[in-house]
Amino acid sequence: MLAIRMRTRRHKASACATAAALTALAVPALTATPATATTPATATNTAYDSTYYKNAVGKTGTALKSSLHTIISSQTKLSYSGVWNALKATDQDPRNSNNVVLLYSGLSRGKSLNGGDTGDWNREHVWAQSHGGFGTSTGPGTDIHHLRPTDVQVNSIRGNKDFDNGGSAVSGGGGSLTDSDSFEPRDAVKGDVARMIFYMAVRYEGGDGWADLEVNSSVNNGSNPYMGKLSALKAWNEQDPPDAFEERRNQVIYDSYQHNRNPFIDHPEWVEAIW
């Protein structure tokens, strides 16, 4: 059962973004013009503040990051093969329980069409595997807080590029853009992408035998354990607040799979408090 949430928050900036995230339209929504200015994410209160987050509430900066790392590091780890079934639950289309919603395109596609062929969906590592060299190993390589269903061809176009604004339209990408060194997701999931990246940078701090993942101000990070571009990701977090689809996904992961949460979905204002 979803926890009762007590929160004050702006709604999605555009009806287009809301429709794409909540109803998983069968065709991608038109891309809205990105906002040119942002306002800080509104402070939120959740049912978890007095329990799960009790040691983090009220902190800022490195103290907040360290506290959140300790909290979210307690998790159940999945195998890479187990990720397939998990994504069929976490990313289920709310209008069609036989389908999943693809992250970058917004398309609704049959759960059974998972694989590696054209027309299939596969497992996209939003924090690219090569940025830290974790591959598909149990740990960051199987953490479903940043693994999402995507169209095989769109996933290939994104590759291991960092995230930033600009570029030309991605075929079948629902309004996503790309250039030689970066990828810009469609407006409806810009914030989702940002919050997944910030989660990874807090969860994986150099322990567990894995690299210390950090967000930086660059693109072309290659195999370094960094992901950019910080300014764009922070802006996307503000422009595209968490919606019902993203919040439900966080809850399903917590209740049924990893038993940890993405704190930036519950408290998007914590992005600014840390970075």
Side-chain angles (χ1 to χ4, degrees), residues 12 14-25 27-32 34 91 100-108 148-150 154 163-165 170 172-178 183-194 236 239-240 243 245:
K12 287 279 186 181
S14 69
C16 161
T18 303
L22 295 182
T23 63
L25 295 176
V27 294
L30 295 175
T31 303
D91 291 75
V100 293
V101 180
L102 306 188
L103 176 65
Y104 296 134
S105 67
L107 292 172
S108 180
R148 298 291 293 268
T150 56
V154 176
F163 293 103
D164 197 6
N165 294 305
V170 173
S176 300
L177 305 174
T178 193
F183 190 90
E184 178 184 348
R186 61 191 175 101
D187 289 349
V189 295
K190 280 184 166 68
D192 306 51
V193 166
W236 295 352
Q239 293 167 10
D240 174 41
D243 62 17
F245 186 93

Side-chain angles (χ1 to χ4, degrees), residues 122-256:
N122 60 5
R123 298 158 290 186
E124 156 73 327
H125 291 77
V126 177
W127 187 293
Q129 302 171 45
S130 63
H131 291 232
F134 50 77
T136 60
S137 300
T138 301
T142 64
D143 194 318
I144 54 176
H145 276 297
H146 86 117
L147 281 158
R148 298 291 293 268
T150 56
D151 176 81
V152 167
Q153 291 179 296
V154 176
N155 191 349
S156 178
I157 292 169
R158 188 265 159 142
N160 70 346
K161 294 175 182 176
D162 292 89
F163 293 103
D164 197 6
N165 294 305
S168 56
V170 173
S171 177
S176 300
L177 305 174
T178 193
D179 56 24
S180 62
D181 56 20
S182 69
F183 190 90
E184 178 184 348
R186 61 191 175 101
D187 289 349
V189 295
K190 280 184 166 68
D192 306 51
V193 166
R195 287 179 284 274
M196 286 185 276
I197 294 299
F198 290 125
Y199 163 87
M200 292 293 283
V202 170
R203 170 60 185 88
Y204 298 99
E205 292 278 58
D208 302 344
W210 306 110
D212 180 4
L213 307 183
E214 295 294 344
V215 187
N216 69 6
S217 298
S218 302
V219 292
N220 273 331
N221 278 303
S223 62
N224 294 310
Y226 310 130
M227 187 66 71
K229 191 173 184 180
L230 178 59
S231 59
L233 293 166
K234 287 178 65 176
W236 295 352
N237 176 59
E238 303 290 354
Q239 293 167 10
D240 174 41
D243 62 17
F245 186 93
E246 191 180 1
E247 289 173 347
R248 176 193 173 277
R249 188 176 197 278
N250 197 28
Q251 194 68 39
V252 172
I253 293 172
Y254 179 71
D255 289 338
S256 302

